[in-house]
Amino acid sequence: MAVGEAETPSFLVESEDAAWKLLKRAVDGEFDDLRERPNIQFADWARLSVHLGIGESTITPREMRGLLAMQEALHRTYAIFRYDTRLLTTLSDEERDDLQIIVKVSPGSSNFDIDLNKILERVIDKAGDAMEAKHWMVIALAVALILGGKTTYSDYLDHMVQVRKEEVISQEKIELLTAQKFLSAQETERMKVMTTALSEHPQLSQAESEIDAGKKGLLKSLPAGVDSEINGIPISGEIAHEIVKTARQRSEEVTIQGSYRILRVDASMSYGFRVKLENVESGDTFTTGVQDILKSEEQVNLLKDAEWAKRPVMVTINGKVRRGQIVEAVIIGVEEIPSRKTP
């Protein structure tokens, strides 16, 4: 719900559903004219909740390892947005203290609950230090959903199941994994919005990879043979034990060369200018960074001239593919298409 003046609105995001709707509006460009960062507050839906099917109000060393993996993921996520690196050595003791997770254990049970609001506030505040409001808003909402939403956990579990299903040989295990469904049709549509956000913000994609590592650590810590829940998603001990065996990452690295139209050259990002491309043959669009070797005046002018003239150029890209869409893409080469070169 938005209140206040149109130029600098405030949003109280009262539910995960509201966060997804607001993220879609941001990705679709509805807030591109924002001059200042809006004030965004998240209600208590943004949290990590783990329920173990055992009746003890304790945390074992095994479970502690999972919580520590998530703590490390939060530290690395902060470092990515604050210092543009995943190295933990960049964090001060004060920053580590500010990002410390506080785990509440329900009496008489093994229900662990972590309120993420304070941590989210720290992470997204530093994400916007040198970033336009429109980009900051996408990142703030996406980080909240990746960390504390049910849909992104469902997506992660579904991905792990699909990858493991391709790796196993046993028909029994294939049938076990095939029968496991984590994503609903609505959640699948939501994740398309997230994939667009990831493709346009490389730091966000890097942060998701770190948080995925934390989620995997959390899964590994679940007691064997015990049914559990993570953010309200039931997961059997058998499935959890099986899917953490996969070694593959969510995204696969690729190098692509093709004919692209330059839709936009954007110099508003804190970590360098971004280029929005459209593949001439498929019509697919995505946003890329530009490698340092291309930041010469000649190369930059070629990109800008191609944008202005609406003519395609030959582009070589290093990137990662996630669910069929390119994310974390970087242009490593650009040249005129041979037929268009002047003699």
Side-chain angles (χ1 to χ4, degrees):
M1 179 175 62
V3 295
E5 297 181 2
E7 289 189 358
T8 55
S10 295
F11 296 91
L12 174 58
V13 187
E14 298 177 319
S15 65
E16 181 180 351
D17 182 62
W20 281 109
K21 289 177 180 176
L22 198 56
L23 178 62
K24 187 176 190 311
R25 291 167 62 191
V27 167
D28 288 346
E30 187 171 330
F31 304 109
D32 282 1
D33 294 332
L34 283 177
R35 297 178 181 176
E36 298 179 24
R37 280 186 352 188
N39 176 42
I40 298 180
Q41 294 181 311
F42 298 99
D44 63 0
W45 62 268
R47 59 198 320 109
L48 173 59
S49 299
V50 180
H51 169 71
L52 306 180
I54 51 179
E56 301 175 1
S57 54
T58 58
I59 300 178
T60 68
R62 178 191 181 103
E63 291 142 16
M64 183 59 73
R65 285 195 293 271
L67 296 172
L68 290 174
M70 186 55 69
Q71 178 71 81
E72 180 179 326
L74 292 170
H75 283 160
R76 292 192 188 279
T77 296
Y78 177 89
I80 285 168
F81 290 119
R82 179 69 178 89
Y83 300 109
D84 198 22
T85 177
R86 67 186 295 273
L87 295 177
L88 298 179
T89 53
T90 58
L91 272 62
S92 67
D93 290 341
E94 182 180 357
E95 288 172 322
R96 290 172 184 269
D97 289 342
D98 284 342
L99 296 167
Q100 185 171 276
I101 60 176
I102 298 174
V103 183
K104 293 183 179 180
V105 183
S106 301
S109 71
S110 288
N111 294 345
F112 310 147
D113 188 75
I114 302 170
D115 187 341
L116 295 170
N117 275 279
K118 179 183 175 183
I119 294 172
L120 279 172
E121 181 182 325
R122 298 288 189 273
V123 172
I124 66 179
D125 178 62
K126 293 306 178 183
D129 277 354
M131 185 182 298
E132 284 195 354
K134 62 182 180 180
H135 299 303
W136 177 86
M137 190 163 183
V138 170
I139 286 175
L141 292 163
V143 169
L145 288 165
I146 293 169
L147 275 174
K150 176 179 178 291
T151 295
T152 52
Y153 275 83
S154 295
D155 178 69
Y156 176 72
L157 291 169
D158 183 75
H159 164 76
M160 295 286 281
V161 166
Q162 300 308 318
V163 170
R164 187 58 183 158
K165 191 165 66 173
E166 294 175 4
E167 294 174 339
V168 298
I169 299 175
S170 164
Q171 185 61 35
E172 181 181 355
K173 288 185 177 180
I174 291 174
E175 291 175 0
L176 170 70
L177 293 165
T178 300
Q180 183 65 62
K181 304 294 182 184
F182 284 109
L183 271 180
S184 67
Q186 181 191 43
E187 288 171 329
T188 299
E189 289 303 308
R190 284 175 169 177
M191 289 310 300
K192 291 179 182 178
V193 178
M194 180 63 75
T195 302
T196 299
L198 293 168
S199 72
E200 296 184 351
H201 298 86
Q203 286 183 319
L204 181 60
S205 182
Q206 293 163 20
E208 186 205 37
S209 296
E210 299 299 338
I211 296 167
D212 278 355
K215 291 175 180 177
K216 187 171 184 178
L218 201 61
L219 282 175
K220 285 183 175 180
S221 73
L222 298 179
V226 175
D227 293 346
S228 307
E229 285 187 9
I230 299 179
N231 276 16
I233 306 164
I235 177 168
S236 71
E238 187 177 14
I239 287 291
H241 179 71
E242 187 60 44
I243 63 178
V244 295
K245 295 177 183 177
T246 181
R248 281 175 52 189
Q249 300 296 315
R250 187 191 287 258
S251 303
E252 297 181 6
E253 295 186 1
V254 294
T255 298
I256 300 170
Q257 184 178 61
S259 178
Y260 290 89
R261 292 187 181 88
I262 311 300
L263 301 183
R264 184 176 68 246
V265 177
D266 183 359
S268 65
M269 303 299 284
S270 60
Y271 40 82
F273 68 86
R274 309 286 293 157
V275 181
K276 187 168 186 178
L277 303 175
E278 179 186 48
N279 186 285
V280 171
E281 295 183 2
S282 67
D284 293 339
T285 63
F286 57 93
T287 302
T288 80
V290 178
Q291 198 171 70
D292 288 342
I293 60 172
L294 290 184
K295 291 182 181 177
S296 67
E297 184 176 354
E298 180 183 358
Q299 295 281 1
V300 172
N301 287 339
L302 176 56
L303 290 170
K304 290 182 176 179
D305 289 347
E307 176 193 17
W308 180 80
K310 301 186 184 304
R311 72 175 187 274
V313 289
M314 186 64 63
V315 180
T316 304
I317 301 159
N318 278 345
K320 296 181 179 180
V321 175
R322 182 185 187 278
R323 290 189 177 275
Q325 187 162 341
I326 297 175
V327 298
E328 290 188 56
V330 178
I331 296 175
I332 61 172
V334 58
E335 58 182 321
E336 296 279 11
I337 294 176
S339 61
R340 295 178 179 271
K341 286 182 177 178
T342 54

